[in-house]
Amino acid sequence: GVHHHQAISNQALTSTKVPRQLLSIRGGDIQVITSLSEVESIIEKTSEGDKIVVLDFTANNCPPCEMIAPIYREMSELEEFNNVLFLKVNVSDHPDIAKRYDVDGWPTFLLFKNGEKVDGIVGGQAAKAGLYSLVAKYAL
């Protein structure tokens, strides 16, 4: 009954979605950061033009991080945010990046525009409630 119906609608949904390779070109998809220099060069590259960078600081064994992850992923695929770059960094692996941006709680989301940190939001519940409108404020 219900379960079968669910499977059909999910399938229909994925088939109408943009192919993954197109998504990555237009900014959808989350880029996982592997070093501080990578973050800095991305933020520097986007300082020209009207791109916004969102940097998600996540950590291992962090339930609020896991709770917000699918929401962040959905946001990265939204058509209206195609001028936004969504980045993710695991602070358990890269404490130097958290230190560089003065982040000491997770999840933390920082927004950069024109190469400068313009805003941020800390905590899973806060992000669930306010991240979309925060990004929209700068991106739309």
Side-chain angles (χ1 to χ4, degrees), residues 23 30 42 63 84 90 92 97 105 111 130 136:
L23 272 180
I30 296 166
I42 289 170
V84 182
N90 186 324
S92 306
I97 302 177
L111 276 72

Side-chain angles (χ1 to χ4, degrees), residues 52-109:
I52 309 285
V53 178
V54 184
L55 183 49
D56 169 14
F57 291 85
T58 184
N60 298 339
N61 307 318
C62 166
C65 299
E66 287 161 31
M67 179 273 293
I68 196 71
I71 297 170
Y72 188 59
R73 191 167 56 244
E74 278 172 31
M75 278 181 57
S76 77
E77 292 169 356
L78 291 174
E79 207 56 58
E80 67 258 37
F81 289 156
N82 61 8
N83 63 328
V84 182
L85 276 177
F86 291 86
L87 312 179
K88 184 172 218 157
V89 61
N90 186 324
V91 296
S92 306
D93 302 332
H94 305 286
D96 56 323
I97 302 177
K99 196 164 182 253
R100 164 72 176 80
Y101 294 105
D102 298 321
V103 170
D104 53 14
W106 351 108
T108 291
F109 296 86

Side-chain angles (χ1 to χ4, degrees), residues 9-23 26 28-29 70-79:
S9 62
N10 272 351
Q11 215 174 349
L13 192 74
T14 40
S15 62
T16 57
K17 275 217 145 153
V18 187
R20 280 196 81 69
Q21 64 271 26
L22 288 182
L23 272 180
R26 69 154 190 79
D29 281 350
I71 297 170
Y72 188 59
R73 191 167 56 244
E74 278 172 31
M75 278 181 57
S76 77
E77 292 169 356
L78 291 174
E79 207 56 58

